[in-house]
């Protein structure tokens, strides 16, 4: 494979992520001021011979760091983190095309009381990266569906006000600048720690040797600086 065809990697350190979240939290605290964080994470799921799992979201660490800064900046001292588990699958060639909702598989959800937990709250969905956007789109649609289900248990006269007071926002550490394969409803509150090119991001929690990971991250920064210098 020629160098040009190889996927470019960029190593991200724990400190990079921590600092991106720190930078964004003052704005999130003022503008959105969440009552609840929903971290998109992964959990183990059974194998499925019709599909291959290509991606697993992992927003646990960013959500935990964000909680520290939001507790500091707001009155929400008991800000909760709830977890949902999603995996993005790609149909194996030759298998009939599947819809977005079928490509994202739930491996963990909020439980039977999901709607009760969400209704009337300002809910910030947290993930590490927005790549194709399929995972975020699925998560938002399904959480809104839980709210609609719960609304059916409430007096009809209260429903519009309850629906209006339930707000969803999204925070991702990185948003890749690329054409997205799924959309978010217009006006969705959306924050990204950093906009990045369409490269493969190596996250520190995927590494088994954190010193080597950090060394590679420093090298990425050096190489990028050298390339910029050459271009000038
Ligand atoms: P989506 O394509 O639905 O936006 O992203 C789904 C998931 O794919 C992300 O939550 C993440 O777990 C994984 N993913 C996408 N791009 C990258 C990347 O560059 N690096 C890593 N480590 N995971 C990624």
């Amino acid at each position: 494979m020629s160098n040009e065809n190889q996927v470019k990697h960029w190593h991200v350190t724990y400190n990079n992520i921590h600092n991106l979240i720190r930078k964004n939290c003052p704005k999130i605290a003022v503008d959105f001021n969440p009552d609840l964080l929903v971290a998109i994470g992964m959990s183990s799921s059974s194998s499925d011979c019709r599909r291959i799992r290509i991606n697993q979201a992992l927003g646990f660490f960013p959500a935990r760091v964000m909680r520290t800064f939001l507790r500091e900046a707001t009155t929400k001292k008991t800000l909760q983190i709830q977890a949902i588990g999603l995996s993005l699958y790609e149909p194996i060639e030759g298998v009939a095309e599947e819809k977005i909702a079928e490509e994202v598989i739930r491996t963990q959800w909020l439980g039977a009381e999901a709607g009760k937990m969400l209704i009337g709250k300002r809910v910030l969905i947290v993930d590490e990266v927005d790549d194709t956007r399929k995972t975020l789109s699925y998560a938002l649609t399904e959480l809104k569906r839980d709210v609609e289900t719960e609304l059916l248990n409430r007096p009809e006269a209260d429903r519009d006000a309850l629906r209006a007071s339930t707000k969803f926002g999204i925070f991702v550490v990185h948003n890749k600048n690329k054409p997205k394969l799924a959309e978010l409803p217009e006006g969705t509150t959306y924050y990204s720690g950093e906009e990045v090119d369409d490269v493969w991001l190596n996250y520190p929690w995927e590494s088994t040797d954190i010193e080597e990971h950090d060394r590679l991250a420093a090298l990425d920064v050096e190489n990028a600086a050298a390339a910029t210098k050459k271009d000038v």
Side-chain angles (χ1 to χ4, degrees):
M1 199 194 281
S2 83
N3 230 7
E4 275 167 24
N5 291 332
Q6 277 171 7
V7 177
K8 283 201 181 122
H9 284 248
W10 183 264
H11 294 77
V12 184
T13 67
Y14 280 115
N15 283 10
N16 295 147
I17 295 165
H18 199 94
N19 285 325
L20 285 174
I21 295 169
R22 179 179 53 78
K23 256 205 274 181
N24 278 270
C25 272
K27 184 174 167 55
I28 295 172
V30 171
D31 290 358
F32 193 72
N33 193 13
D35 301 310
L36 176 68
L37 303 180
V38 173
I40 307 182
M42 66 169 177
S43 60
S44 58
S45 62
S46 56
S47 64
D48 179 340
C49 60
R50 292 177 307 120
R51 290 176 276 224
I52 44 173
R53 184 165 63 203
I54 51 170
N55 286 322
Q56 297 176 313
L58 209 59
F60 295 155
F61 177 79
R64 180 59 190 86
V65 175
M66 174 163 276
R67 180 175 187 270
T68 297
F69 288 111
L70 290 178
R71 282 183 75 238
E72 192 74 13
T74 68
T75 55
K76 310 269 171 63
K77 302 302 175 202
T78 56
L79 184 64
Q80 261 194 35
I81 303 175
Q82 291 288 336
I84 56 174
L86 295 175
S87 287
L88 179 63
Y89 283 76
E90 194 171 67
I92 289 173
E93 227 176 292
V95 173
E97 203 173 292
E98 298 177 51
K99 295 189 203 84
I100 286 172
E102 290 163 346
E103 291 174 2
V104 182
I105 306 293
R106 285 183 187 205
T107 53
Q108 183 184 333
W109 205 252
L110 299 177
E113 303 284 272
K116 277 199 182 70
M117 193 187 285
L118 301 167
I119 208 157
K121 299 246 173 68
R122 308 177 65 79
V123 182
L124 191 66
I125 302 168
V126 181
D127 204 357
E128 88 278 49
V129 57
D130 178 357
D131 183 23
T132 65
R133 199 160 277 176
K134 285 182 182 177
T135 303
L136 290 170
S137 167
Y138 177 88
L140 184 59
T141 304
E142 293 299 296
L143 292 169
K144 282 186 171 176
R145 199 195 305 275
D146 287 337
V147 172
E148 288 302 318
T149 304
E150 176 57 24
L151 283 173
L152 297 176
N153 300 324
R154 305 299 175 104
E156 209 173 334
D158 297 346
R159 288 181 195 160
D160 283 348
L162 279 169
R163 186 182 288 113
S165 66
T166 310
K167 307 269 187 220
F168 288 97
I170 288 172
F171 173 80
V172 288
V173 179
H174 297 108
N175 175 39
K176 292 192 196 175
N177 283 320
K178 63 189 283 188
K180 302 296 183 183
L181 300 180
E183 285 182 12
L184 299 171
E186 221 183 292
T188 302
T189 301
Y190 182 97
Y191 306 97
S192 75
E194 193 173 35
E195 302 287 305
V196 295
D197 292 339
D198 188 10
V199 295
W200 187 258
L201 300 160
N202 288 75
Y203 286 102
W205 45 79
E206 297 162 345
S207 169
T208 52
D209 182 343
I210 198 65
E211 280 76 26
E212 175 63 4
H213 178 89
D214 286 356
R215 192 187 69 77
L216 293 172
L219 205 61
D220 286 343
V221 173
E222 253 176 54
N223 288 341
T228 311
K229 232 182 189 172
K230 224 168 80 185
D231 287 346
V232 176

